[in-house]
Amino acid sequence: MTDPASTTRSAAVGRDPELGFPPPGDVLRRLRTQRGMSLRQVAAKCGLSVSFLAALERGETDIALERLGRLAKVFGHDVGSFLGFSQGRAAPSVFPFQEQEAIERAPGVNYRVLRAPELGYQVVQGDFAPHSALGEDLRHEGTDLIIVTQGTLVARYNGVDHTLHAGDCIRWSGGYRHTFRNDTGEPARMVALLFNSLY
């Protein structure tokens, strides 16, 4: 007599590579690892068992569409974006200003941070009061793209000052010393796209 469990395992392991979408277990493992979540935490959020999710990650079982939808929701996706058919969810993600993480970086310098770990970047909005400065040099992995959206900021990079006015943009490797200051009597604001998790 054929063991139904072994038939399921062979069907999953011998998966047709031309199905046109990645194995759901591979996607689960990648997203779970990026978020630092255990299988138990994922199971608690989607109502599926730990043993089922572990078997899915190992490629020993398949998953029904309704269950896949519940699993995708844990990571802020719908089924299409979870499997890579679209760049993001069918519905937009809204981040109300009050719910964004606020960080006081220095006297008169306040950051708002949006994290998008599944996309591999962070967005930081920095507000600089008149005559304020970070007061320290930053160095980190990855690349930064900075746009000044209000006022004038001085971006000091590797010992050289770059004066940026509203609308100006600068990009650099985060591995070199950099910092920001507002030398003017008016408030300034920048938006930074960090292609590495920093905050």
Side-chain angles (χ1 to χ4, degrees):
M1 175 181 281
T2 307
D3 174 12
S6 89
T7 305
T8 306
R9 275 195 299 276
S10 9
V13 172
R15 187 176 182 279
D16 182 350
E18 295 183 5
L19 285 176
F21 58 89
D26 290 357
V27 178
L28 167 59
R29 183 183 298 106
R30 178 172 50 80
L31 292 177
R32 184 175 66 76
T33 302
Q34 285 176 350
R35 305 290 175 89
M37 296 177 73
S38 67
L39 282 173
R40 190 172 301 282
Q41 289 172 312
V42 175
K45 286 180 176 290
C46 67
L48 302 173
S49 73
V50 173
S51 58
F52 171 77
L53 294 176
L56 183 65
E57 280 198 359
R58 292 192 302 266
E60 295 175 354
T61 188
D62 210 343
I63 185 168
L65 190 59
E66 187 272 337
R67 286 178 160 195
L68 184 60
R70 284 158 51 195
L71 180 59
K73 190 176 179 183
V74 172
F75 301 100
H77 285 274
D78 56 25
V79 171
S81 63
F82 183 84
L83 294 176
F85 290 116
S86 64
Q87 292 293 323
R89 301 170 57 198
S93 299
V94 178
F95 303 93
F97 183 76
Q98 317 79 284
E99 295 175 18
Q100 297 168 24
E101 183 178 356
I103 301 173
E104 185 178 356
R105 288 293 282 110
V109 180
N110 295 292
Y111 280 8
R112 292 273 175 172
V113 181
L114 291 179
R115 293 183 176 85
E118 71 279 7
L119 299 177
Y121 64 81
Q122 291 181 331
V123 179
V124 175
Q125 176 179 290
D127 286 300
F128 290 74
H131 305 291
S132 64
L134 276 185
E136 62 175 320
D137 286 336
L138 308 175
R139 288 179 73 171
H140 56 86
E141 294 297 319
T143 301
D144 300 345
L145 178 68
I146 297 103
I147 301 168
V148 174
T149 59
Q150 176 187 344
T152 301
L153 273 179
V154 176
R156 186 169 181 80
Y157 183 76
N158 211 19
V160 178
D161 284 351
H162 302 272
T163 301
L164 305 173
H165 304 283
D168 290 345
C169 181
I170 192 167
R171 183 184 67 190
W172 56 47
S173 166
Y176 293 92
R177 294 177 297 112
H178 56 277
T179 190
F180 301 93
R181 69 178 189 271
N182 179 2
D183 291 340
T184 75
E186 299 295 325
R189 173 176 290 170
M190 69 164 187
V191 174
L193 193 59
L194 310 179
F195 293 93
N196 192 58
S197 293
L198 183 58
Y199 297 100

